Amino acid sequence: MSSFTVPRNVPSFGNPQRLAEDRLWASSGMASRNSRGHGGVLDNVQHSVDSFLRPKSQLPMYKDKPYTYAGSRRIRPHWRRKRSLLALVFFSICGLWFFGFFSGDSSSRRAASQWSWMGTSEAPGKKVDWLKRRERVVEAFELSWDAYERYAWGYDEYHPIAKTGKMMAPEGLGWIIIDSLDTMMLMNLTSRISHAREWLAETLTWDQNQDVNTFETTIRMLGGLLSAHYLSTEFPDLAPLADDDAGGLGEDLYLEKAKDLADRLISAFDSESGIPYASVILSKYEGKPSHGDDGASSTAEATTVQLEFKYLAKLTGEKFYWDKVEKVMQVVDDNGAEDGLVPIFIYPSTGQFRTKNIRLGSRGDSYYEYLIKQYLQTNEKEEIYREMWDESLAGVRKHLITYSSPSRFTVLGERPSGLDGALSPKMDHLVCFYPGTIALAVTGGLTEAEARKLPSWNQQKEDDMRLARELTQTCWGMYKWMATGLAAEITYFNIDNPPLPESAPHNPPDDFDPDPDAAWRKDFDVRANDVHNLQRPETVESLFYMWRITEDPKYREWGWEMFKSFVNYTAVDEGGGFTSLSNANRIPPVPRDNLESFWLAETLKYMYLLFSPNDLLPLDKVVYNTEAHPFPRFDMGQLFSTGWKRKPRDAEGKIIR
Ligand code: DMJ
């Protein structure tokens, strides 16, 4: 299948287990504010954006431009080289025109068509053209990507206002490039993919003396490469490669880079307990404990690498990857966390939890996400993960859910001092992945209408869907509450003392009255330190799941409104693309001058999927990793199985010692 090098971290190739695996493998064959158009991040921002987003007939031809590179290792036919040269000259002229060199009175021209696409063609009652809206998302992606490519190509960070880049490792990690690959495939951005592939083939090396975060590198880089492999092999019509594709080393390019990286990352799991160290030194194949937190790793980080390594195990037939990441789940579960809710730190040395702090925000979030997604990834055969998910959701209801005052929005709070301590009515934006994931768990990816017809439908599922709807509405309220329409990093809620239990009656308003004195606004509170918006995806992620599952168009409309706020308030002048905000609660907002790679990997991808037909990567066939990289669901076959059992528990769920 591919020319893999021998991994550095595998057990003896002569052992009997290994031989059995190889035989099996060989036989398996698996080889409103917006209409004003004022107050964006910087003056004239909208002018630049508009230049990209105005109707095609007026657009400079700057879309999906072809590339020619002297360094290409493949010799290209003469006629193609000539054509490329002509194209280069042509597009250079277009580029100069775009930047105003030849365009005459550009400001009046721009003002005339400013934001012409926002609202004007959408008379009330007129059928919404979702594909047209989706095209706007593609244009926003192109704007971001092209800015990165122009000003910071190959850098891991991009600062859109300074228009500079920064490396995270001596030779770069491809942080933005790799995280964007599958989004570009979905959007059919072929020439941009070619450029990215060339960089991968000719520049990317993992052999660098650099410590990297185990989790972040797994979900973004390993996940990005694996989903690029998945989409390019299973959906060859998405952004097909040309026969003279630059850097075209065949379909294994992504997989080979993924495997090389995985062999380095897997060294993080060589701790006493099997819980991965927070970091890995890439060139040394060596794990490294966290500098802070007494050497403990984040629980979410340790338990949000399983989908990636299990898919890689399936692709390569290397059971080793599977076993390493699965062991983590056992070590975590052997702690016997009360009601399925886990503290947010865990020691690699002992496998014991550190602190009592429990939350579904940072450091806790994706532990819960990967419980249900591991169950779905292997076609719903690993009951253990379903059981752990169900237990944790019951724990969330019992300990973390309350209602705000006076309007009674559903709040998913935190227990910083453990389950016996007080409930903190604080919600990180990160928590907003949860409602969509609840809906996914209820139906397994079917629509709600389909799932309701199954004999397995019951009151619990009914209640879970209600919770999913309520929490989605709360998360959307976090956006509506802010001046820019873009949520803060953290939102607090006014709650009763003592907090209302989950069973309390509650009936929040369906709509968010725009009146600045509307009662619903009293329920929410954002502190001065938390007003930043990092272009995070969690709410649009939930909107995407909720739309696909409930088929209620309001989720799509909310997504469109959110998209317009991003365009209106985070676009950067001079073709810089889009930026995070330091203050999203004032107009104009205060920019932060940073582009998060998950803007390209997740936020824009979920928008694109939200506006796409529902059969694009259907929810009952794929599973998205926590960075929105889609992987296929698969059967475990004979090689793989759940290699552990939960310790027996008593009626209260406590481990029987
Ligand atoms: C992403 O890297 C992932 O979604 C992760 O699970 C949480 N943080 C960011 C996005 O907010």
Side-chain angles (χ1 to χ4, degrees):
M1 185 177 157
S2 71
S3 53
F4 292 129
T5 50
V6 177
R8 293 269 296 267
N9 273 299
V10 292
S12 155
F13 276 68
N15 83 23
Q17 151 87 356
R18 165 78 204 193
L19 292 173
E21 286 170 14
D22 283 351
R23 266 197 304 279
L24 254 172
W25 173 243
S27 64
S28 73
M30 171 76 187
S32 64
R33 290 174 180 98
N34 307 320
S35 60
R36 291 201 296 270
H38 294 298
V41 170
L42 296 172
D43 291 344
N44 297 326
V45 160
Q46 291 89 346
H47 296 159
S48 308
V49 178
D50 181 55
S51 300
F52 276 92
L53 299 188
R54 80 168 67 99
K56 291 281 179 304
S57 56
Q58 300 170 47
L59 262 178
M61 281 194 62
Y62 197 71
K63 260 197 80 183
D64 209 15
K65 58 191 178 297
Y67 295 92
T68 49
Y69 292 97
S72 175
R73 64 169 67 176
R74 297 175 88 202
I75 299 175
R76 314 171 98 200
H78 178 66
W79 65 270
R80 279 194 191 273
R81 274 181 275 154
K82 227 166 143 185
R83 193 185 64 181
S84 301
L85 198 69
L86 282 173
L88 182 68
V89 171
F90 173 72
F91 283 101
S92 301
I93 291 169
C94 288
L96 289 170
W97 184 84
F98 169 74
F99 284 109
F101 284 86
F102 305 136
S103 57
D105 181 6
S106 59
S107 58
S108 59
R109 179 175 47 76
R110 285 169 181 163
S113 59
Q114 193 173 56
W115 302 117
S116 58
W117 60 269
M118 281 209 192
T120 49
S121 60
E122 292 169 3
K126 197 176 162 222
K127 196 170 177 300
V128 175
D129 185 344
W130 288 104
L131 290 180
K132 206 163 156 190
R133 289 183 171 183
R134 185 175 81 158
E135 199 47 38
R136 303 302 180 207
V137 178
V138 176
E139 288 160 353
F141 181 95
E142 290 171 332
L143 179 61
S144 269
W145 175 266
D146 292 349
Y148 165 72
E149 189 176 57
R150 187 180 306 121
Y151 297 116
W153 181 247
Y155 286 94
D156 299 311
E157 290 176 20
Y158 171 48
H159 305 294
I161 295 173
K163 298 182 174 54
T164 55
K166 206 170 148 195
M167 291 300 195
M168 287 162 47
E171 293 171 64
L173 300 170
W175 206 250
I176 293 177
I177 297 173
I178 294 173
D179 226 7
S180 304
L181 288 169
D182 56 6
T183 311
M184 293 194 286
M185 288 177 186
L186 285 171
M187 294 179 174
N188 195 28
L189 303 177
T190 48
S191 60
R192 291 169 177 86
I193 294 269
S194 286
H195 192 199
R197 280 177 63 83
E198 184 178 86
W199 187 88
L200 250 63
E202 299 186 355
T203 308
L204 177 65
T205 172
W206 299 121
D207 197 17
Q208 301 184 57
N209 186 12
Q210 178 68 45
D211 54 317
V212 297
N213 178 284
T214 309
F215 154 80
E216 296 287 2
T217 313
T218 300
I219 64 165
R220 301 189 200 210
M221 300 299 97
L222 183 57
L225 288 164
L226 289 173
S227 67
H229 171 79
Y230 168 52
L231 294 187
S232 63
T233 51
E234 297 296 321
F235 303 88
D237 292 343
L238 290 175
L241 301 177
D243 58 356
D244 66 339
D245 167 48
L249 300 181
E251 66 184 29
D252 286 345
L253 174 64
Y254 304 123
L255 192 51
E256 286 173 1
K257 292 291 179 189
K259 180 134 185 346
D260 182 0
L261 176 61
D263 290 337
R264 297 164 197 271
L265 292 174
I266 204 77
S267 55
F269 297 75
D270 290 336
S271 67
E272 279 172 73
S273 70
I275 294 293
Y277 292 115
S279 304
V280 164
I281 307 171
L282 287 173
S283 60
K284 295 187 181 164
Y285 294 74
E286 194 180 294
K288 209 176 141 183
S290 168
H291 292 303
D293 310 311
D294 201 18
S297 300
S298 296
T299 307
E301 294 194 1
T303 54
T304 312
V305 290
Q306 284 66 23
L307 295 183
E308 294 77 4
F309 280 97
K310 285 180 168 183
Y311 179 37
L312 183 64
K314 183 70 180 173
L315 283 169
T316 60
E318 287 292 351
K319 192 167 177 303
F320 175 72
Y321 300 124
W322 185 287
D323 294 343
K324 285 282 188 184
V325 294
E326 191 183 54
K327 169 81 180 161
V328 176
M329 301 309 297
Q330 181 178 16
V331 174
V332 170
D333 196 55
D334 282 355
N335 277 277
E338 189 178 342
D339 293 326
L341 301 179
V342 294
I344 60 172
F345 287 105
I346 187 165
Y347 288 109
S349 51
T350 62
Q352 306 284 303
F353 290 130
R354 173 178 187 264
T355 82
K356 293 178 159 185
N357 196 341
I358 284 169
R359 63 182 182 225
L360 268 75
S362 63
R363 302 186 185 281
D365 48 4
S366 44
Y367 163 74
Y368 305 93
E369 177 186 351
Y370 269 33
L371 290 179
I372 194 64
K373 287 185 174 175
Q374 284 183 80
Y375 173 70
L376 297 175
Q377 182 182 36
T378 46
N379 284 330
E380 309 187 8
K381 293 296 183 307
E382 296 183 271
E383 280 298 329
I384 203 165
Y385 298 117
R386 171 96 234 176
E387 189 183 313
M388 290 166 76
W389 162 266
D390 287 343
E391 195 177 300
S392 67
L393 178 52
V396 166
R397 286 183 184 282
K398 183 172 165 190
H399 299 285
L400 303 180
I401 295 288
T402 189
Y403 304 99
S404 61
S405 177
S407 300
R408 302 296 183 224
F409 291 99
T410 301
V411 175
L412 202 171
E414 303 181 356
R415 294 274 179 183
S417 311
L419 297 183
D420 298 330
L423 179 72
S424 166
K426 161 181 179 267
M427 279 177 74
D428 292 352
H429 187 279
L430 291 166
V431 180
C432 290
F433 82 94
Y434 199 55
T437 304
I438 295 175
L440 176 67
V442 170
T443 72
L446 299 177
T447 64
E448 187 178 2
E450 288 165 340
R452 280 177 180 280
K453 290 185 197 137
L454 299 175
S456 53
W457 189 264
N458 57 24
Q459 187 58 44
Q460 186 62 58
K461 289 178 191 280
E462 197 80 57
D463 295 347
D464 288 352
M465 283 307 297
R466 179 175 175 181
L467 180 61
R469 286 184 165 89
E470 290 174 358
L471 284 171
T472 308
Q473 199 206 10
T474 304
C475 287
W476 181 233
M478 295 177 183
Y479 281 70
K480 299 294 287 183
W481 196 83
M482 298 287 283
T484 57
L486 295 170
E489 178 71 358
I490 297 171
T491 304
Y492 286 83
F493 293 84
N494 295 314
I495 60 169
D496 294 7
N497 189 7
L500 292 173
E502 191 255 343
S503 57
H506 55 284
N507 194 15
D510 286 336
D511 299 315
F512 295 92
D513 181 348
D515 182 342
D517 298 321
W520 70 269
R521 297 187 64 84
K522 298 186 175 61
D523 292 54
F524 293 72
D525 184 28
V526 174
R527 300 182 180 170
N529 280 342
D530 305 326
V531 290
H532 45 295
N533 176 286
L534 302 184
Q535 310 170 292
R536 286 199 190 276
E538 290 76 19
T539 300
V540 69
E541 172 183 352
S542 278
L543 296 180
F544 162 64
Y545 283 107
M546 293 302 286
W547 154 249
R548 285 265 178 114
I549 289 168
T550 68
E551 299 173 295
D552 184 338
K554 84 175 173 198
Y555 297 118
R556 269 181 144 179
E557 289 297 345
W558 291 356
W560 176 241
E561 204 178 319
M562 185 195 294
F563 175 70
K564 288 193 292 183
S565 297
F566 272 120
V567 170
N568 214 8
Y569 294 111
T570 72
V572 172
D573 207 356
E574 293 161 9
F578 295 87
T579 181
S580 301
L581 301 176
S582 287
N583 188 348
N585 202 25
R586 49 159 281 191
I587 295 176
V590 182
R592 204 180 182 99
D593 197 14
N594 192 44
L595 169 92
E596 298 288 348
S597 71
F598 48 70
W599 164 251
L600 301 166
E602 297 197 68
T603 310
L604 289 174
K605 184 189 286 140
Y606 283 128
M607 300 254 182
Y608 182 86
L609 290 167
L610 177 63
F611 305 152
S612 288
N614 291 357
D615 59 0
L616 179 61
L617 300 178
L619 284 183
D620 60 342
K621 298 285 183 304
V622 303
V623 63
Y624 292 87
N625 90 337
T626 194
E627 189 77 0
H629 296 306
F631 302 156
R633 299 188 187 189
F634 56 79
D635 289 327
M636 287 186 283
Q638 294 176 62
L639 192 51
F640 303 106
S641 59
T642 312
W644 66 286
K645 288 195 167 53
R646 302 188 79 190
K647 287 187 172 165
R649 267 114 167 129
D650 64 19
E652 289 176 353
K654 294 207 168 67
I655 289 180
I656 302 166
R657 306 271 173 194

